[in-house]
Amino acid sequence: MVAILTASMEPELTEFVLMRYLGQDYSKEILSKYTDPRNVCVIAVEDGVAVGLAGCRSGADNGFLVDMAFTLDEAPEGTFEMIMRSVLSIAQNSGLESVDVHAPDPDGRNAGLCYRMGFEDSGPCTCCQRTDLIHMAFRF
């Protein structure tokens, strides 16, 4: 059974999942961003092993900006949705107005899941012009 945990309380598990996902691009600077308690980051854990992550920070428009959201290949079906529903719940319980996702999605599968959850396309990236990113928003 998958549990959703706070990354700042589980730095070793957070490091594990980031290292697995990012490979050579992993750095301690990245870890500190997602384990900083001032940011909101959740990890999905199954049987003591981290299998997914969603990291966000407060945005300028009274919302969260999710800049990393993924599951590893071995994550059980439904894990990405659990992670994103946790982020939505935290944002709504914090009185925020939105959750914007601007996160890598190299295989395109997470965008479809976000659509089914009620996220809407927020247009092309204006800052980096990358095509492998999700650009979606959920408004409460």
Side-chain angles (χ1 to χ4, degrees):
M1 179 149 170
V2 175
I4 304 298
L5 305 175
T6 304
S8 63
M9 302 297 287
E10 303 290 344
E12 295 85 15
L13 289 171
T14 304
E15 182 174 36
F16 172 83
V17 75
L18 285 168
M19 287 175 69
R20 287 278 315 279
Y21 183 72
L22 297 172
Q24 293 177 337
D25 294 329
Y26 171 78
S27 72
K28 289 287 186 182
E29 290 174 17
I30 291 171
L31 175 64
S32 65
K33 174 182 175 182
Y34 293 110
T35 56
D36 185 331
R38 294 173 292 180
N39 295 327
V40 173
C41 182
V42 296
I43 55 173
V45 177
E46 181 185 45
D47 296 328
V49 178
V51 294
L53 174 143
C56 49
R57 55 188 160 82
S58 295
D61 64 346
N62 196 30
F64 281 154
L65 173 62
V66 177
D67 62 3
M68 181 74 72
F70 64 87
T71 56
L72 300 178
D73 291 339
E74 61 269 20
E77 188 173 332
T79 301
F80 184 80
E81 184 174 347
M82 287 178 63
I83 290 170
M84 294 307 293
R85 289 205 184 281
S86 295
V87 169
L88 290 173
S89 178
I90 293 166
Q92 189 171 30
N93 289 332
S94 298
L96 299 178
E97 297 174 359
S98 65
V99 173
D100 292 292
V101 180
H102 183 129
D105 187 22
D107 60 13
R109 66 182 169 161
N110 294 339
L113 292 169
C114 286
Y115 278 123
R116 287 192 294 279
M117 292 175 60
F119 282 82
E120 296 178 353
D121 190 11
S122 57
C125 180
T126 58
C127 65
C128 65
Q129 305 303 312
R130 287 179 54 182
T131 59
D132 64 340
L133 297 176
I134 299 173
H135 300 280
M136 305 183 93
F138 187 99
R139 308 283 180 238
F140 298 104

